[in-house]
Amino acid sequence: MNELETIRHSAAHVLATAISELWPDAQFAAGPPVEQGFYYDVEMAHRINPEDFPKVEEIVRRIIAEKQPFVRREVSRDEADRLARAGRLAALADRPAPSKFKLDILQNIPAGETISLYENGQFTDLCAGPHVADTGGIGAFRLTHVASAYYKGDERNPQLQRIYGIAFPTEAELEAHFAMLEEAKKRDHRKLGKELQLFTFDEDVGPGLPLWLPKGGVLIEELERLAKETEFAAGYQRVRTPHIARDTLYKTSGHLPYYAESMFPPMELEEEKGGEKVVYYLKAMNCPHHHKLFSALPRSYRDLPLRFAEYGTCYRYEQSGELLGLMRVRSMQMNDAHIYCTAEQFAAEFQAVNAMYLHYFKIFGIEKYRMRFSTHDPAKLGQKYLDEPEMWQKTETMVRDVLVASGIDFVEVPNEGAFYGPKIDVQVWSAIGREFTLATNQVDFGVPRRFGLEFTTSANTKETPLCIHRAPLGTHERFIGFLIEHFAGAFPLWLSPEQVRILPVTDDQIAPAEVLAAELRAKMVRVSVDGSREKLGAKIRLAQVEKTPYMVVLGKNEVSNGQLSVRSRKSGDLGLMDRATFLSRIDTEIRDRAL
C-alpha cells in the first residue's frame, strides 16, 4: 500500500471501532482501501443511514484525537481461532456470538502464512496491515454513503452493509476532494453528452451500445484523423478486418475458452456446403485478425518492423451492472495497432510508442500521467501466465529499460501482466484531477508462436517476431468520455463539433451570413447560421451554453463595411476583424490543433 492507502486502511479500522461502540453486535467482514476512499462491510441489526453519520464521525474524531497506537501482534492459528470463536476479532471485547466472518477469513489463510492482529485501544482485528503509527496519523475523515454487498461478492452469501468513507492527511485535502466531486458532477460525460447532443443509448438497440449523434460523429472523425496522420508519419499501414470470426481463430489465440465469459454468446451456423456446423463469435479483440494478416504473405527481416493499424470495432459482453455511460460499453472502436519486430528492434519501437503517448498528452493538455508497468508472478507460470520464465524475464527487462531510459514516470505492479507478456496501462488525470485508465501497451512473445508467425532472418533461418499491442487513444467511447469531462464539453476549436456560429442581427443579414458560411465550409470549417427571430443577446447566450468556440455577429454596419464582429468563447469580445484576418486566425488554430 502507498501512504494514502495506508491512511485509509487505518481509517477503516477506526470506523469499525466507532461502530462497535455504538452497535456491539456488529459483525465485520473486509475493510480495504479503494480508489475513492475505503469501506468496511458489516452485518448488524441496525440499518445505518446518513442520519447516523454525525454520531459515528464524532466518535471517530475522538479516537483520532486520542492518538491510539496501532499495535501489530503475530499470533498462532490456534490463538486467532480462539479469539474468533470468542467473538473478540473486530470487536472491543469478547461477545456471545463468534466473529463469523473473521473465522471464515482465518480458515482461508494458507497454512504456514503469518497471522497478525492489529489493536488500537480496545479494538482488535484480524489484519495483515500496514497501518499508520497511531490514529492521529489519519488526519481528516468523513463518511460518504452506504450500499449493500454480498459477502465475497457471492449472492449465495449474506448481504452486508457496505459503509464508505474518505480520509486524507489534512482537512484542506479533504475539502479539495469534495470540491472536485462537485465539479465532476457538472462535468459528468453522461450529463454533458445529452446536453451537447453527442450520443445516446436506446433500449431497442441494447444497453452498452452507444449511438453517435452527428456532433459526436465529428469527435470520432477528428480523433481518427489525428490518429491516421500520426500513424502515417510513424510508418504504420492501415488494415481492415471483419467484425466476426470462427471460434477456431480465438482457440488458436488462446482467448477461448478463458475469455468466453467476456464475449457475446456464439452463433452456431450451418455452412452451405456439406452441412457442417460452424461457430462464429463477434470480435472481442483485433490481434488474432492482425496475426492472420501477418501470415498472409511470406515475411523477411527486411519487412520488419511491420506496423498494422486499425480502428477496429470490438464487442465485449460486459455485465449490465458494470456498464457506465461511455466508460464501460459493449461496442467499442479501438485505436489499435500491432507492431511485429525483432528483439533488436524492440527498444526503439517501444520507445516510439511511448513518444506517441507523450505527443497526444501535449495535444490534449494532459499534464499528469503515469505508466503502470504490470509484470508476472513466477508462482503462476503455466496457470495465469505462459510458462516461459526466460521470456518473461527478458521482455520485462526490455520494457523496464525503455521506461527508465525515457525518464517516464512509472510504477511497477506485480501479478497484473497479460497472459502472453508484460504490459503498461496508461493512467491519466483530467483537468480536475480525476484519474482514468486511458489505454494499454502490451508485449506479446507467446501468441505469435501459436499462430506460427515467422520471418526469414538474414542468416536464412526462421524466427518468430515479437509483437507489441498498442492503443494510445484507447477506444473512441472511453477517450471521448474522458475528453468531455476533461474539457467540460468546451472542446478546443479543432475538435469542436461546431466551430463557428454566425449571428445575424436581423433578417436582412441572413443572406450575407449564408454567403460567409459557404466560404467557411469551403475551407472545411464547421459553421452554422442562427437565423432565428431571437434577439442578439439571446443568440449569444445560446451559443455560449452550447460551448461554440467562435461567434461572428453580422449587423448592418458589419455588412456595409465588410468586417466581422468576433466573439471568442475563450477570450471574450475580439472586436471588429476583417475576413482575411479571421479566416487566418481560425485556420492556424485548427491546423495547429491548439488548445
Side-chain angles (χ1 to χ4, degrees):
M1 293 185 192
N2 60 33
E3 181 181 357
L4 188 56
E5 289 170 335
T6 301
I7 288 172
R8 290 172 176 174
H9 184 46
S10 304
H13 277 238
V14 173
L15 169 63
T17 307
I19 289 174
S20 296
E21 284 192 24
L22 292 166
W23 300 285
D25 67 317
Q27 291 275 2
F28 293 94
V34 291
E35 184 178 354
Q36 290 299 321
F38 63 89
Y39 68 79
Y40 219 131
D41 286 342
V42 59
E43 181 184 73
M44 60 184 186
H46 177 75
R47 192 73 192 172
I48 290 184
N49 61 72
E51 293 179 0
D52 295 316
F53 288 0
K55 60 185 177 184
V56 175
E57 289 172 345
E58 183 180 356
I59 296 174
V60 168
R61 284 192 292 271
R62 189 202 77 215
I63 295 170
I64 290 175
E66 290 174 354
K67 297 185 178 180
Q68 298 175 0
F70 279 102
V71 179
R72 185 176 190 271
R73 183 159 64 93
E74 294 184 5
V75 296
S76 67
R77 185 174 296 272
D78 288 344
E79 172 66 4
D81 183 79
R82 184 189 68 76
L83 291 169
R85 294 185 186 282
R88 186 67 182 85
L89 295 185
L92 298 170
D94 289 356
R95 296 179 294 177
S99 304
K100 59 181 181 179
F101 299 116
K102 299 298 178 179
L103 192 60
D104 179 67
I105 292 170
L106 176 64
Q107 290 169 347
N108 284 281
I109 296 176
E113 189 169 309
T114 300
I115 296 171
S116 61
L117 309 178
Y118 273 86
E119 300 169 346
N120 59 281
Q122 298 300 311
F123 184 77
T124 300
D125 204 353
L126 177 69
C127 181
H131 289 285
V132 294
D134 61 60
T135 57
I138 291 171
F141 174 105
R142 192 177 301 177
L143 296 180
T144 57
H145 61 290
V146 180
S148 295
Y150 291 106
Y151 179 54
K152 293 183 175 180
D154 189 334
E155 62 184 14
R156 294 168 298 183
N157 289 334
Q159 190 176 62
L160 310 178
Q161 300 181 62
R162 179 165 288 181
I163 307 165
Y164 285 91
I166 189 76
F168 283 94
T170 67
E171 192 68 34
E173 290 171 286
L174 183 71
E175 293 302 327
H177 170 79
F178 281 99
M180 183 270 287
L181 292 181
E182 286 302 312
E183 180 64 22
K185 289 179 185 177
K186 300 175 189 175
R187 293 173 177 246
D188 189 309
H189 78 279
R190 294 165 295 181
K191 171 178 175 289
L192 288 175
K194 183 176 182 180
E195 292 175 359
L196 299 176
Q197 301 174 21
L198 300 176
F199 62 90
T200 187
F201 290 92
D202 189 282
E203 282 301 313
D204 288 337
V205 176
L209 301 171
L211 297 168
W212 293 96
L213 293 162
K215 290 182 178 180
V218 168
L219 297 177
I220 287 176
E221 291 291 332
E222 288 297 335
L223 290 177
E224 284 200 15
R225 183 177 291 114
L226 170 64
K228 287 176 180 178
E229 288 177 7
T230 305
E231 290 165 357
F232 180 80
Y236 286 75
Q237 301 177 58
R238 302 209 70 77
V239 297
R240 289 182 181 270
T241 57
H243 292 229
I244 63 173
R246 285 185 172 185
D247 61 342
T248 50
L249 180 71
Y250 301 118
K251 287 178 179 176
T252 301
S253 70
H255 288 98
L256 284 177
Y258 308 108
Y259 201 74
E261 64 180 23
S262 296
M263 299 172 73
F264 273 82
M267 298 171 280
E268 188 173 280
L269 305 173
E270 187 174 299
E271 293 285 9
E272 292 181 8
K273 295 181 180 180
E276 179 190 358
K277 294 284 186 180
V278 294
V279 176
Y280 284 86
Y281 279 89
L282 283 173
K283 179 171 65 174
M285 64 293 296
N286 298 303
C287 42
H289 298 252
H290 289 191
H291 295 335
K292 285 295 185 180
L293 289 172
F294 183 95
S295 66
L297 299 170
R299 306 292 181 183
S300 160
Y301 72 96
R302 299 182 187 276
D303 300 319
L304 304 186
L306 187 62
R307 311 176 187 98
F308 287 151
E310 176 183 19
Y311 253 108
T313 303
C314 296
Y315 304 88
R316 295 177 186 170
Y317 194 73
E318 302 285 359
Q319 297 301 309
S320 59
E322 296 177 343
L323 298 175
L324 179 65
L326 296 178
M327 298 302 183
R328 202 75 180 263
V329 293
R330 289 174 171 170
S331 170
M332 62 210 74
Q333 295 168 287
M334 189 176 296
N335 172 223
D336 217 351
H338 296 89
I339 302 170
Y340 302 90
C341 63
T342 66
E344 292 74 24
Q345 294 167 334
F346 174 83
E349 291 301 309
F350 205 77
Q351 170 59 24
V353 170
N354 288 336
M356 190 178 290
Y357 280 106
L358 299 179
H359 170 65
Y360 288 143
F361 294 164
K362 185 176 181 180
I363 288 175
F364 294 106
I366 298 170
E367 297 179 352
K368 183 180 178 183
Y369 56 86
R370 176 177 296 148
M371 308 292 191
R372 282 174 55 89
F373 173 33
S374 299
T375 60
H376 78 299
D377 180 350
K380 296 181 180 179
L381 289 172
Q383 303 167 31
K384 184 177 178 180
Y385 303 109
L386 290 177
D387 192 8
E388 298 189 40
E390 290 184 5
M391 284 302 298
W392 278 104
Q393 292 295 335
K394 179 179 179 180
T395 52
E396 286 175 1
T397 298
M398 291 163 72
V399 172
R400 190 181 296 109
D401 288 348
V402 171
L403 290 171
V404 171
S406 304
I408 290 176
D409 181 25
F410 77 96
V411 59
E412 194 161 326
V413 184
N415 196 29
E416 288 191 13
F419 75 88
Y420 46 66
K423 68 171 184 172
I424 288 175
D425 290 313
V426 183
Q427 307 298 118
V428 298
W429 280 259
S430 70
I432 60 168
R434 290 190 69 190
E435 183 179 1
F436 293 80
T437 301
L438 182 66
T440 187
N441 190 12
Q442 303 174 352
V443 184
D444 185 351
F445 59 77
V447 179
R449 190 178 302 121
R450 297 175 71 119
F451 278 89
L453 304 190
E454 291 181 334
F455 66 93
T456 304
T457 69
S458 59
N460 204 32
T461 58
K462 296 295 185 180
E463 192 172 308
T464 299
L466 285 172
C467 178
I468 299 172
H469 304 238
R470 45 108 287 180
L473 296 179
T475 66
H476 282 323
E477 291 72 19
R478 187 171 183 82
F479 192 55
I480 289 175
F482 165 77
L483 290 178
I484 292 170
E485 299 191 4
H486 182 57
F487 291 117
F491 303 108
L493 180 65
W494 70 273
L495 191 58
S496 291
E498 180 187 32
Q499 295 169 318
V500 177
R501 186 175 300 183
I502 304 172
L503 310 177
V505 176
T506 70
D507 289 352
D508 292 340
Q509 289 86 49
I510 290 178
E514 293 292 357
V515 171
L516 175 60
E519 186 177 347
L520 288 166
R521 287 193 193 98
K523 295 181 177 295
M524 300 301 291
V525 175
R526 296 183 289 274
V527 59
S528 70
V529 175
D530 184 348
S532 68
R533 296 292 182 86
E534 295 288 344
K535 292 183 178 180
L536 180 60
K539 292 181 179 183
I540 291 173
R541 283 192 295 274
L542 179 62
Q544 290 172 332
V545 167
E546 296 182 352
K547 305 182 187 298
T548 308
Y550 282 101
M551 292 159 271
V552 175
V553 177
L554 273 187
K556 181 179 178 180
N557 292 336
E558 286 83 2
V559 171
S560 63
N561 63 26
Q563 291 186 307
L564 308 174
S565 182
V566 180
R567 297 179 65 89
S568 163
R569 182 189 66 205
K570 185 167 59 176
S571 306
D573 189 356
L574 300 178
L576 290 174
M577 199 177 290
D578 61 69
R579 289 194 182 202
T581 301
F582 176 64
L583 292 175
S584 175
R585 177 190 179 103
I586 63 173
D587 180 66
T588 300
E589 201 171 325
I590 292 169
R591 186 183 64 249
D592 293 346
R593 293 191 169 99
L595 284 170

